[in-house]
Amino acid sequence: MGMHLGDMAMIDRRIFLRNSALAMVGAGTAPLWLERALYASGAPAPRKKILVAVFQRGAADGLNVVVPHGEKAYYRMRPTIAVPRPSAGSPDAAVDLDGFFGLHPSLALLKPLFDRQHLAIVDAVGSPDPTRSHFDAQDYMESGTPGLKATASGWMNRALPGAAGKVSPVRAVAIGATLPRALRGGQSAISLQNLADFQVRDAEAAQQLEQMYASATDPAMQSTGRETFEAVSMLQAIRKQPYSPAGGADYPRCPFGDSLKQIAQLIKAEVGLEMAFADIGGWDHHVNETGPRASQGQLASLLAQFGQALSSFWTDMGDRMADIALVTMSEFGRTARENGNRGTDHGHANCMFAMGGGIKGGKVYGQWPGLEQGQLYEGRDLALTTDFRDVLGEIVVRHLRTPSAAGVFPGHSPKFLGLV
Amino acid sequence: MRPSAVLALVSASIVAGLPALEAWGTSKSAPQPRAFLARIAPADRIRQALNRLTYGPRPGDVERVGAMGLEKWIEAQLHPESIPENPVMADKLRYLDTLDLSSSQLVRDYPSPQVARQMLSGRISFPTDPEMRILVARMASKDQGRVQDGAAADPNAPQPKTLADLLNPDQVRSLATGTPEERLAAFDALPAIKRDEAIVAMGQGMRRALFAAAPPSLRRKLEMADGPARVVALDLSEAKLLRAIYNERQLAELLDDFWFNHFNVYLDKGADRYLVTGYERDAIRPHVLGKFRDLLEATAKSPAMLFYLDNWQSAGPDVRQGRPQARRGLNENYARELMELHTLGVNGGYTQKDVTEVARCFTGWTIDRPLLGGPFFFDARRHDDGEKLVLGVVIPPGGGVLDGEKVLDILARRPATAHLVSRQLAQRFVADDPPQALVDRMADTFLKTDGDIRQVLETMLHSGEFWSVGAYRSKMKSPLEMAVSAVRAAGGKVDFAFALVNQVARMGQPLYRKMEPTGYSNSSTEWINTAGLVARMNFALQLAGDRLPGVKVDVADNASPGTPGQGIRLGSPDFQKH
């Protein structure tokens, strides 16, 4: 998405205004109206499209998340951990989606989104690289180049439109203590743990430190320092605002719930967010994945958080969802058979969710490869029929309107599924 | 490419302005940059040694090493037993009394709410210590709603009292108001027999307010009242900070961190809450400069690792347990991480078939009652005693516990393992992208000396690369290194370390709480980001302003006019590197 020359001049003027105004009142004391005025001055700028990426770290068990209840082999291979077939009124049964697939009962909150066609699911999707290493597989999924370790940047960073002039210092944000691989690269991107704490508490010291980072000899330190101070002053105004989610959205009290809530807050503050990243860990269920019933146990409670957070975000954003696409991924799936400890080991293909106003939801995309012995990948895992780059590539091109995905996923020509 | 890229190869990807497309497909296996051939000035050698082989220089360290002679100082660091223990450290660690206990003692003496419930219901014997009896009763009563009717309470269990039951309104008021010192005086004024019960009865807020002024013995009681199980984790983290700051055997301390991270376990995974103390003390610390094979076996047989990577539950396919419900079978988790992370590396030449075969070899390597802190034991009934083929080596049937040990023999001596370990050491101690030639020489030593870690380090420390321009001040400090080096540089005196522990977590490195088996990256690029930078600057300002609870620094040092204050120095870009 290119920027018009007129916009550029406007933004330059705003940046100039911002810098001089902030200098005038002293960093740390810019009033709310001023911040707002600086970034929303003049005619309302066209709203940018926003991409929110969610990474489920640890390899979620896709077969128990989106349950192929129409597949006999599924129940044969998972005698103690399978999610029961849909059954009206049962809190432990899969929530039917299309007569073949169903959601894990702990994701029941997502069913209305699916029914309203704001949620699409892609199944048997993932990275074509055969690795079953968490680290490598996450690395490949975040770099966007499976099998290529030397790729220095992440796919999200490459998907950020190149900017010739000043852009919002908070256009790309990861919630967390470190910057994920997916957002590293040439375009500036920031990480923050939580909005309230994202400031240098001593204003005078902050000014001195800002100068020191500006003249740091180490280029990474210099650029990260600049990103830090710009983002801190940008977020000055919204930091102290108590945030009340709209529509009665009730984010779960867990790190992932907090992450999505803060992303929502950033979006609503209109500070120029284009790309956000959040992750949720703890999916590596080798042992006791499921409790005595499908609605209990480790996977169920994690999915309950996950589902409640996504559904709250959707409620909270309301009409704003029209400009947002949220997509979820996990490094690989898990074995089709349960292992000896009521858990599952590292597998291959998985499922992805895509949510948003522009998403053609209400459908499970992808070709189902089957779970009979001859249909399994290496005789043990769900086979892969869709490359994760096809899903992300389509969102990058059709939602973010990047002219081509070639620079984002080098060496791969995405085949669009038609989900945007 | 900008010229400085040679010095900051890895960070090149983060440099703003680098065109996005240039960033993919570029290989990191560039020819050895000249920077690793150029030696640093002789005057910088002591600083390089202190930067990389300690948690950062304290005032006067450069002179001390100079007086001793750099070679001699390094030799001493490589033989830590030759360095007398710092009595200041010993004195501070003395109060952290969980550090020396066995896992089973920890479970009983620092019970979790679950164990407390079992004590109350008589399934585990009630503690004899009267203070502990009060605590356990209190913990169990908190979730009495959940205790089932069938579990009859121990008639000997004491009934917990409220503060109003124990004290008169004036006493309660004086405990709840004033400075920590005033509250302590009010506490000391209570009749001795009421103090222990009052600690348990008062709320967490009142305990916290008392803490800052309390002597160490009282602090322990206050911490216990917050939950005994939490004390175990707290002691571990505080000890790590105290040792890093005060231990004179600095290299050994860095290596403890390196090897723990290499064989990472996660403190908050179930039984590991009680198993990690013994893991670090008995499996890691004794071997940090020893033979890799010994270290590998110590971790393989440690209850902490067996629990963390699930091997304790792994069993052969033919095994039938007594109860029909307890279906057991193979679990690949440990076998895979053993090869990927602990030894060969992900490209070390093993297949999925090898993972399954290795997992079969380790069936029966389990824990005797993990939830009670039991030890390693080999359960022959769970072992798959058939023939296995591991990396082309036949392991004949009937080997029992020796199957796993043979696997460790094979893995510990493979060239891929030598290279992985050498590369990681070089990445931690020399540079984020260490020259291949150095890694190869270290790996040669590894193979020639049967994995003698001290000799591998000697090769590294006698290399030109370690003392090169490419290595010198090229790495970003990890949050732990940042926090500890700041306290050392500021000459801080640590009374208690939990606030420091929290700061390290805030900067991005929660200690003992890296959930993934990979541990934290040895490459320092992981730490360059905005969230971390904000946290580092705030920490620096708080520490230098003498506002960090438990750490005393000399504020007068800030006052010299014309130069940046200590907080600015510690938060500056220069101080983040070493």
Side-chain angles (χ1 to χ4, degrees), chain B residues 34-35 69 85 123 126 135 138 155 169 181-182 244 270 296 306 309 332 385 403 431-432 445 456 499 502 528 556 578:
Chain B
R34 288 206 191 126
E85 202 171 69
R123 268 174 292 170
F126 219 73
L135 255 177
R138 182 90 189 172
E181 288 73 19
E182 286 162 357
L296 187 63
L306 288 163
L309 290 179
E332 295 176 354
D385 234 352
D403 287 359
D432 282 344
T445 303
V456 173
N502 290 342
I528 306 179
H578 69 166

PDB file of all heavy atoms in Angstrom, chain B residues 34-35 69 85 123 126 135 138 155 169 181-182 244 270 296 306 309 332 385 403 431-432 445 456 499 502 528 556 578:
ATOM      1  N   ARG B  34      37.901 -10.103   9.424  1.00  0.00           N
ATOM      2  CA  ARG B  34      39.225  -9.688   9.900  1.00  0.00           C
ATOM      3  C   ARG B  34      39.226  -9.332  11.373  1.00  0.00           C
ATOM      4  O   ARG B  34      40.227  -9.451  12.047  1.00  0.00           O
ATOM      5  CB  ARG B  34      39.668  -8.466   9.115  1.00  0.00           C
ATOM      6  CG  ARG B  34      40.044  -8.820   7.706  1.00  0.00           C
ATOM      7  CD  ARG B  34      41.046  -7.829   7.144  1.00  0.00           C
ATOM      8  NE  ARG B  34      41.147  -8.088   5.717  1.00  0.00           N
ATOM      9  CZ  ARG B  34      40.979  -7.168   4.789  1.00  0.00           C
ATOM     10  NH1 ARG B  34      40.750  -5.924   5.144  1.00  0.00           N
ATOM     11  NH2 ARG B  34      41.069  -7.471   3.520  1.00  0.00           N
ATOM     12  N   ALA B  35      38.063  -8.901  11.842  1.00  0.00           N
ATOM     13  CA  ALA B  35      37.999  -8.453  13.236  1.00  0.00           C
ATOM     14  C   ALA B  35      38.435  -9.543  14.220  1.00  0.00           C
ATOM     15  O   ALA B  35      38.902  -9.247  15.309  1.00  0.00           O
ATOM     16  CB  ALA B  35      36.591  -7.981  13.559  1.00  0.00           C
ATOM     17  N   GLY B  69      48.324 -10.844  37.999  1.00  0.00           N
ATOM     18  CA  GLY B  69      48.778 -11.379  36.708  1.00  0.00           C
ATOM     19  C   GLY B  69      47.603 -12.064  36.036  1.00  0.00           C
ATOM     20  O   GLY B  69      46.960 -12.944  36.641  1.00  0.00           O
ATOM     21  N   GLU B  85      36.406 -19.404  49.295  1.00  0.00           N
ATOM     22  CA  GLU B  85      35.027 -18.949  49.195  1.00  0.00           C
ATOM     23  C   GLU B  85      34.881 -17.587  49.864  1.00  0.00           C
ATOM     24  O   GLU B  85      35.509 -17.315  50.882  1.00  0.00           O
ATOM     25  CB  GLU B  85      34.111 -19.963  49.875  1.00  0.00           C
ATOM     26  CG  GLU B  85      32.690 -19.869  49.388  1.00  0.00           C
ATOM     27  CD  GLU B  85      31.861 -21.037  49.913  1.00  0.00           C
ATOM     28  OE1 GLU B  85      31.616 -21.063  51.125  1.00  0.00           O
ATOM     29  OE2 GLU B  85      31.491 -21.899  49.103  1.00  0.00           O
ATOM     30  N   ARG B 123      -2.981 -38.471  55.243  1.00  0.00           N
ATOM     31  CA  ARG B 123      -2.306 -39.336  54.270  1.00  0.00           C
ATOM     32  C   ARG B 123      -0.791 -39.154  54.306  1.00  0.00           C
ATOM     33  O   ARG B 123      -0.040 -40.029  53.930  1.00  0.00           O
ATOM     34  CB  ARG B 123      -2.845 -39.087  52.852  1.00  0.00           C
ATOM     35  CG  ARG B 123      -3.990 -40.028  52.513  1.00  0.00           C
ATOM     36  CD  ARG B 123      -4.599 -39.674  51.186  1.00  0.00           C
ATOM     37  NE  ARG B 123      -5.294 -38.389  51.254  1.00  0.00           N
ATOM     38  CZ  ARG B 123      -5.763 -37.734  50.190  1.00  0.00           C
ATOM     39  NH1 ARG B 123      -5.562 -38.225  48.996  1.00  0.00           N
ATOM     40  NH2 ARG B 123      -6.393 -36.588  50.335  1.00  0.00           N
ATOM     41  N   PHE B 126       1.804 -35.446  59.718  1.00  0.00           N
ATOM     42  CA  PHE B 126       1.772 -34.031  60.051  1.00  0.00           C
ATOM     43  C   PHE B 126       3.148 -33.590  60.535  1.00  0.00           C
ATOM     44  O   PHE B 126       3.827 -34.338  61.209  1.00  0.00           O
ATOM     45  CB  PHE B 126       0.719 -33.827  61.146  1.00  0.00           C
ATOM     46  CG  PHE B 126      -0.057 -32.579  60.967  1.00  0.00           C
ATOM     47  CD1 PHE B 126      -1.012 -32.473  59.970  1.00  0.00           C
ATOM     48  CD2 PHE B 126       0.192 -31.499  61.789  1.00  0.00           C
ATOM     49  CE1 PHE B 126      -1.718 -31.318  59.804  1.00  0.00           C
ATOM     50  CE2 PHE B 126      -0.518 -30.337  61.621  1.00  0.00           C
ATOM     51  CZ  PHE B 126      -1.477 -30.233  60.627  1.00  0.00           C
ATOM     52  N   LEU B 135       0.991 -23.247  60.228  1.00  0.00           N
ATOM     53  CA  LEU B 135       0.969 -22.866  58.821  1.00  0.00           C
ATOM     54  C   LEU B 135       0.153 -23.829  57.967  1.00  0.00           C
ATOM     55  O   LEU B 135      -0.660 -23.423  57.141  1.00  0.00           O
ATOM     56  CB  LEU B 135       2.410 -22.878  58.292  1.00  0.00           C
ATOM     57  CG  LEU B 135       3.056 -21.540  58.092  1.00  0.00           C
ATOM     58  CD1 LEU B 135       4.491 -21.735  57.651  1.00  0.00           C
ATOM     59  CD2 LEU B 135       2.289 -20.759  57.034  1.00  0.00           C
ATOM     60  N   ARG B 138      -3.440 -23.488  58.471  1.00  0.00           N
ATOM     61  CA  ARG B 138      -3.902 -22.267  57.828  1.00  0.00           C
ATOM     62  C   ARG B 138      -4.082 -22.487  56.313  1.00  0.00           C
ATOM     63  O   ARG B 138      -5.088 -22.107  55.718  1.00  0.00           O
ATOM     64  CB  ARG B 138      -2.856 -21.181  58.073  1.00  0.00           C
ATOM     65  CG  ARG B 138      -3.224 -19.845  57.511  1.00  0.00           C
ATOM     66  CD  ARG B 138      -3.981 -19.045  58.527  1.00  0.00           C
ATOM     67  NE  ARG B 138      -4.520 -17.839  57.954  1.00  0.00           N
ATOM     68  CZ  ARG B 138      -5.360 -17.039  58.596  1.00  0.00           C
ATOM     69  NH1 ARG B 138      -5.749 -17.336  59.818  1.00  0.00           N
ATOM     70  NH2 ARG B 138      -5.812 -15.965  58.012  1.00  0.00           N
ATOM     71  N   PRO B 155      -7.437 -34.882  63.917  1.00  0.00           N
ATOM     72  CA  PRO B 155      -7.903 -34.231  65.146  1.00  0.00           C
ATOM     73  C   PRO B 155      -6.801 -33.436  65.837  1.00  0.00           C
ATOM     74  O   PRO B 155      -7.087 -32.542  66.632  1.00  0.00           O
ATOM     75  CB  PRO B 155      -8.362 -35.404  66.018  1.00  0.00           C
ATOM     76  CG  PRO B 155      -7.727 -36.618  65.430  1.00  0.00           C
ATOM     77  CD  PRO B 155      -7.483 -36.331  63.986  1.00  0.00           C
ATOM     78  N   PRO B 169      -7.020  -4.479  70.173  1.00  0.00           N
ATOM     79  CA  PRO B 169      -7.132  -3.538  69.041  1.00  0.00           C
ATOM     80  C   PRO B 169      -5.934  -2.600  68.916  1.00  0.00           C
ATOM     81  O   PRO B 169      -5.504  -2.285  67.804  1.00  0.00           O
ATOM     82  CB  PRO B 169      -8.410  -2.758  69.351  1.00  0.00           C
ATOM     83  CG  PRO B 169      -9.205  -3.655  70.220  1.00  0.00           C
ATOM     84  CD  PRO B 169      -8.217  -4.453  71.029  1.00  0.00           C
ATOM     85  N   GLU B 181      10.072   0.240  60.407  1.00  0.00           N
ATOM     86  CA  GLU B 181      10.766   0.176  61.704  1.00  0.00           C
ATOM     87  C   GLU B 181       9.769   0.263  62.855  1.00  0.00           C
ATOM     88  O   GLU B 181       9.884  -0.464  63.845  1.00  0.00           O
ATOM     89  CB  GLU B 181      11.804   1.298  61.815  1.00  0.00           C
ATOM     90  CG  GLU B 181      13.046   1.109  60.950  1.00  0.00           C
ATOM     91  CD  GLU B 181      12.795   1.331  59.462  1.00  0.00           C
ATOM     92  OE1 GLU B 181      11.763   1.971  59.116  1.00  0.00           O
ATOM     93  OE2 GLU B 181      13.598   0.835  58.641  1.00  0.00           O
ATOM     94  N   GLU B 182       8.789   1.163  62.699  1.00  0.00           N
ATOM     95  CA  GLU B 182       7.776   1.294  63.754  1.00  0.00           C
ATOM     96  C   GLU B 182       6.940   0.019  63.878  1.00  0.00           C
ATOM     97  O   GLU B 182       6.615  -0.429  64.983  1.00  0.00           O
ATOM     98  CB  GLU B 182       6.858   2.494  63.453  1.00  0.00           C
ATOM     99  CG  GLU B 182       7.546   3.836  63.701  1.00  0.00           C
ATOM    100  CD  GLU B 182       6.845   5.011  63.026  1.00  0.00           C
ATOM    101  OE1 GLU B 182       5.840   4.795  62.309  1.00  0.00           O
ATOM    102  OE2 GLU B 182       7.317   6.136  63.207  1.00  0.00           O
ATOM    103  N   ALA B 244      26.087 -14.829  41.919  1.00  0.00           N
ATOM    104  CA  ALA B 244      26.627 -14.107  40.761  1.00  0.00           C
ATOM    105  C   ALA B 244      27.309 -12.816  41.207  1.00  0.00           C
ATOM    106  O   ALA B 244      28.339 -12.420  40.657  1.00  0.00           O
ATOM    107  CB  ALA B 244      25.512 -13.812  39.767  1.00  0.00           C
ATOM    108  N   GLY B 270       4.805 -28.676  37.547  1.00  0.00           N
ATOM    109  CA  GLY B 270       4.442 -29.661  38.568  1.00  0.00           C
ATOM    110  C   GLY B 270       5.539 -29.957  39.574  1.00  0.00           C
ATOM    111  O   GLY B 270       6.031 -29.054  40.267  1.00  0.00           O
ATOM    112  N   LEU B 296      26.183 -35.081  31.342  1.00  0.00           N
ATOM    113  CA  LEU B 296      25.053 -35.607  30.573  1.00  0.00           C
ATOM    114  C   LEU B 296      24.306 -36.676  31.372  1.00  0.00           C
ATOM    115  O   LEU B 296      23.071 -36.670  31.449  1.00  0.00           O
ATOM    116  CB  LEU B 296      25.582 -36.184  29.253  1.00  0.00           C
ATOM    117  CG  LEU B 296      24.566 -36.637  28.218  1.00  0.00           C
ATOM    118  CD1 LEU B 296      23.726 -35.451  27.748  1.00  0.00           C
ATOM    119  CD2 LEU B 296      25.266 -37.293  27.025  1.00  0.00           C
ATOM    120  N   LEU B 306      13.917 -35.851  34.220  1.00  0.00           N
ATOM    121  CA  LEU B 306      12.999 -36.960  33.921  1.00  0.00           C
ATOM    122  C   LEU B 306      11.556 -36.484  33.992  1.00  0.00           C
ATOM    123  O   LEU B 306      10.707 -36.905  33.211  1.00  0.00           O
ATOM    124  CB  LEU B 306      13.226 -38.114  34.916  1.00  0.00           C
ATOM    125  CG  LEU B 306      14.532 -38.890  34.712  1.00  0.00           C
ATOM    126  CD1 LEU B 306      14.861 -39.709  35.952  1.00  0.00           C
ATOM    127  CD2 LEU B 306      14.436 -39.793  33.485  1.00  0.00           C
ATOM    128  N   LEU B 309      10.915 -33.514  30.970  1.00  0.00           N
ATOM    129  CA  LEU B 309      10.743 -34.009  29.597  1.00  0.00           C
ATOM    130  C   LEU B 309       9.993 -35.349  29.570  1.00  0.00           C
ATOM    131  O   LEU B 309      10.105 -36.111  28.601  1.00  0.00           O
ATOM    132  CB  LEU B 309      12.092 -34.077  28.875  1.00  0.00           C
ATOM    133  CG  LEU B 309      12.690 -32.697  28.554  1.00  0.00           C
ATOM    134  CD1 LEU B 309      14.046 -32.820  27.856  1.00  0.00           C
ATOM    135  CD2 LEU B 309      11.750 -31.861  27.686  1.00  0.00           C
ATOM    136  N   GLU B 332       8.345 -39.787  23.529  1.00  0.00           N
ATOM    137  CA  GLU B 332       9.562 -39.413  22.785  1.00  0.00           C
ATOM    138  C   GLU B 332      10.204 -38.123  23.252  1.00  0.00           C
ATOM    139  O   GLU B 332      11.261 -37.739  22.750  1.00  0.00           O
ATOM    140  CB  GLU B 332       9.217 -39.180  21.303  1.00  0.00           C
ATOM    141  CG  GLU B 332       8.745 -40.370  20.558  1.00  0.00           C
ATOM    142  CD  GLU B 332       8.340 -40.003  19.124  1.00  0.00           C
ATOM    143  OE1 GLU B 332       8.329 -38.800  18.776  1.00  0.00           O
ATOM    144  OE2 GLU B 332       8.054 -40.918  18.361  1.00  0.00           O
ATOM    145  N   ASP B 385      12.892 -54.277  26.544  1.00  0.00           N
ATOM    146  CA  ASP B 385      14.203 -54.942  26.550  1.00  0.00           C
ATOM    147  C   ASP B 385      14.584 -55.540  25.198  1.00  0.00           C
ATOM    148  O   ASP B 385      15.503 -56.324  25.104  1.00  0.00           O
ATOM    149  CB  ASP B 385      14.234 -56.017  27.644  1.00  0.00           C
ATOM    150  CG  ASP B 385      15.417 -55.818  28.590  1.00  0.00           C
ATOM    151  OD1 ASP B 385      16.264 -54.952  28.286  1.00  0.00           O
ATOM    152  OD2 ASP B 385      15.499 -56.515  29.605  1.00  0.00           O
ATOM    153  N   ASP B 403      21.110 -49.811  28.496  1.00  0.00           N
ATOM    154  CA  ASP B 403      20.724 -49.289  27.175  1.00  0.00           C
ATOM    155  C   ASP B 403      20.855 -47.774  27.138  1.00  0.00           C
ATOM    156  O   ASP B 403      21.460 -47.205  26.230  1.00  0.00           O
ATOM    157  CB  ASP B 403      19.259 -49.643  26.862  1.00  0.00           C
ATOM    158  CG  ASP B 403      19.074 -51.121  26.540  1.00  0.00           C
ATOM    159  OD1 ASP B 403      20.086 -51.860  26.537  1.00  0.00           O
ATOM    160  OD2 ASP B 403      17.917 -51.516  26.302  1.00  0.00           O
ATOM    161  N   ALA B 431      31.731 -14.581  20.905  1.00  0.00           N
ATOM    162  CA  ALA B 431      30.979 -13.676  20.033  1.00  0.00           C
ATOM    163  C   ALA B 431      29.704 -14.365  19.571  1.00  0.00           C
ATOM    164  O   ALA B 431      29.643 -15.591  19.507  1.00  0.00           O
ATOM    165  CB  ALA B 431      31.812 -13.277  18.814  1.00  0.00           C
ATOM    166  N   ASP B 432      28.708 -13.582  19.230  1.00  0.00           N
ATOM    167  CA  ASP B 432      27.425 -14.148  18.821  1.00  0.00           C
ATOM    168  C   ASP B 432      27.536 -15.066  17.616  1.00  0.00           C
ATOM    169  O   ASP B 432      26.819 -16.043  17.505  1.00  0.00           O
ATOM    170  CB  ASP B 432      26.429 -13.016  18.496  1.00  0.00           C
ATOM    171  CG  ASP B 432      25.859 -12.403  19.758  1.00  0.00           C
ATOM    172  OD1 ASP B 432      25.982 -13.030  20.837  1.00  0.00           O
ATOM    173  OD2 ASP B 432      25.314 -11.292  19.688  1.00  0.00           O
ATOM    174  N   THR B 445      39.642 -30.411  20.628  1.00  0.00           N
ATOM    175  CA  THR B 445      40.018 -30.648  22.022  1.00  0.00           C
ATOM    176  C   THR B 445      38.971 -31.513  22.723  1.00  0.00           C
ATOM    177  O   THR B 445      39.306 -32.454  23.444  1.00  0.00           O
ATOM    178  CB  THR B 445      40.160 -29.300  22.773  1.00  0.00           C
ATOM    179  OG1 THR B 445      41.117 -28.503  22.095  1.00  0.00           O
ATOM    180  CG2 THR B 445      40.585 -29.518  24.210  1.00  0.00           C
ATOM    181  N   VAL B 456      38.494 -27.762  26.936  1.00  0.00           N
ATOM    182  CA  VAL B 456      37.856 -27.062  25.814  1.00  0.00           C
ATOM    183  C   VAL B 456      37.902 -25.553  26.071  1.00  0.00           C
ATOM    184  O   VAL B 456      38.206 -24.758  25.178  1.00  0.00           O
ATOM    185  CB  VAL B 456      36.394 -27.538  25.618  1.00  0.00           C
ATOM    186  CG1 VAL B 456      35.682 -26.691  24.575  1.00  0.00           C
ATOM    187  CG2 VAL B 456      36.363 -29.010  25.220  1.00  0.00           C
ATOM    188  N   ALA B 499      13.873  -8.373  44.896  1.00  0.00           N
ATOM    189  CA  ALA B 499      13.542  -7.268  43.988  1.00  0.00           C
ATOM    190  C   ALA B 499      14.429  -7.327  42.738  1.00  0.00           C
ATOM    191  O   ALA B 499      13.976  -7.048  41.628  1.00  0.00           O
ATOM    192  CB  ALA B 499      13.710  -5.933  44.700  1.00  0.00           C
ATOM    193  N   ASN B 502      13.059  -9.943  40.428  1.00  0.00           N
ATOM    194  CA  ASN B 502      11.922  -9.425  39.658  1.00  0.00           C
ATOM    195  C   ASN B 502      12.379  -8.526  38.506  1.00  0.00           C
ATOM    196  O   ASN B 502      11.787  -8.521  37.433  1.00  0.00           O
ATOM    197  CB  ASN B 502      10.976  -8.639  40.560  1.00  0.00           C
ATOM    198  CG  ASN B 502      10.249  -9.553  41.522  1.00  0.00           C
ATOM    199  OD1 ASN B 502      10.188 -10.767  41.302  1.00  0.00           O
ATOM    200  ND2 ASN B 502       9.725  -8.983  42.594  1.00  0.00           N
ATOM    201  N   ILE B 528      18.095  -7.425  22.326  1.00  0.00           N
ATOM    202  CA  ILE B 528      18.003  -6.045  21.843  1.00  0.00           C
ATOM    203  C   ILE B 528      16.589  -5.771  21.371  1.00  0.00           C
ATOM    204  O   ILE B 528      16.202  -6.163  20.279  1.00  0.00           O
ATOM    205  CB  ILE B 528      19.006  -5.795  20.698  1.00  0.00           C
ATOM    206  CG1 ILE B 528      20.412  -6.189  21.153  1.00  0.00           C
ATOM    207  CG2 ILE B 528      18.982  -4.326  20.270  1.00  0.00           C
ATOM    208  CD1 ILE B 528      21.468  -5.999  20.094  1.00  0.00           C
ATOM    209  N   ALA B 556      26.000   9.128  46.889  1.00  0.00           N
ATOM    210  CA  ALA B 556      26.958  10.224  46.755  1.00  0.00           C
ATOM    211  C   ALA B 556      27.711  10.127  45.441  1.00  0.00           C
ATOM    212  O   ALA B 556      28.110  11.127  44.855  1.00  0.00           O
ATOM    213  CB  ALA B 556      27.926  10.202  47.923  1.00  0.00           C
ATOM    214  N   HIS B 578      29.260  -5.900  26.612  1.00  0.00           N
ATOM    215  CA  HIS B 578      30.469  -6.343  27.320  1.00  0.00           C
ATOM    216  C   HIS B 578      31.326  -7.189  26.405  1.00  0.00           C
ATOM    217  O   HIS B 578      30.927  -7.547  25.326  1.00  0.00           O
ATOM    218  CB  HIS B 578      30.112  -7.071  28.627  1.00  0.00           C
ATOM    219  CG  HIS B 578      29.447  -8.403  28.436  1.00  0.00           C
ATOM    220  ND1 HIS B 578      29.300  -9.319  29.437  1.00  0.00           N
ATOM    221  CD2 HIS B 578      28.873  -8.961  27.350  1.00  0.00           C
ATOM    222  CE1 HIS B 578      28.680 -10.406  28.956  1.00  0.00           C
ATOM    223  NE2 HIS B 578      28.415 -10.189  27.717  1.00  0.00           N
TER     224      HIS B 578
END
